[in-house]
Amino acid sequence: MTLKLKTFVISLLLTFLFAAAGGIVTYAGMSGFEAAKQPPLSPPSFLFPIVWTVLFALMAFGAAVIYDSDEVSAPRALFVYTVQLTMNFWWCVLFFGFQLYLTSFVWLVLLWAAVLVMTIMFTRINKLAGLLQIAYLVWLTFAAYLNFGVWLLNR
């Protein structure tokens, strides 16, 4: 596996554009989220940006590996990657921006499915690129628990 530095930097920049957009929406809606009742096991607020930064970096690295591959299915995998990044952003809008907790939970389940498809596609092209997405799936599973709990406690 040969990863070009330029590809990785571009992948990081594009991925973190989505992350920054979601972060802006999240930050703007943070007061509403912090005022809401939280389910058990809710981590402290300072942990979320740390975890998301690591996850977005892993996503970007995986996408760069896929981009640099010679596989004919790479463009489709990168399309699904872009779709899930877009879905991730819109989850922030639904959850933090509009506080539509049930709608955002359903959206998060769809996002989880998109990330699973992306992970499978990445794995078929490059095992490492796929494995790097497992932490994202695990975190989204935990996020779904938190999202559902917030909805349940605040309806």
Side-chain angles (χ1 to χ4, degrees):
M1 175 184 78
T2 309
L3 179 63
K4 297 178 188 99
L5 181 60
K6 180 179 177 183
T7 302
F8 179 59
V9 170
I10 291 170
S11 182
L12 271 176
L13 289 173
L14 292 174
T15 300
F16 276 94
L17 279 174
F18 280 93
I24 290 167
V25 172
T26 299
Y27 183 76
M30 191 54 78
S31 60
F33 170 71
E34 289 176 343
K37 294 176 193 164
Q38 302 295 316
L41 305 177
S42 294
S45 293
F46 77 85
L47 190 59
F48 289 98
I50 295 167
V51 170
W52 278 111
T53 299
V54 170
L55 293 174
F56 277 111
L58 292 173
M59 283 186 251
F61 183 77
V65 168
I66 297 304
Y67 183 84
D68 274 351
S69 75
D70 294 331
E71 292 294 322
V72 71
S73 59
R76 282 182 301 212
L78 291 171
F79 174 77
V80 174
Y81 176 73
T82 304
V83 167
Q84 69 82 21
L85 283 175
T86 304
M87 291 178 73
N88 187 303
F89 165 76
W90 282 105
W91 177 84
C92 296
V93 172
L94 293 170
F95 187 87
F96 291 102
F98 296 122
Q99 297 176 359
L100 296 170
Y101 299 134
L102 181 57
T103 304
S104 62
F105 172 74
V106 172
W107 189 259
L108 186 54
V109 171
L110 296 173
L111 170 60
W112 190 94
V115 172
L116 178 62
V117 169
M118 178 196 74
T119 301
I120 292 167
M121 293 175 84
F122 276 24
T123 302
R124 288 180 179 159
I125 296 168
N126 182 286
K127 190 171 184 171
L128 175 62
L131 289 173
L132 290 173
Q133 309 315 308
I134 299 299
Y136 186 23
L137 278 170
V138 170
W139 183 257
L140 287 178
T141 302
F142 182 60
Y145 155 77
L146 294 174
N147 188 155
F148 187 77
V150 168
W151 170 74
L152 201 60
L153 294 169
N154 295 282
R155 56 188 171 130

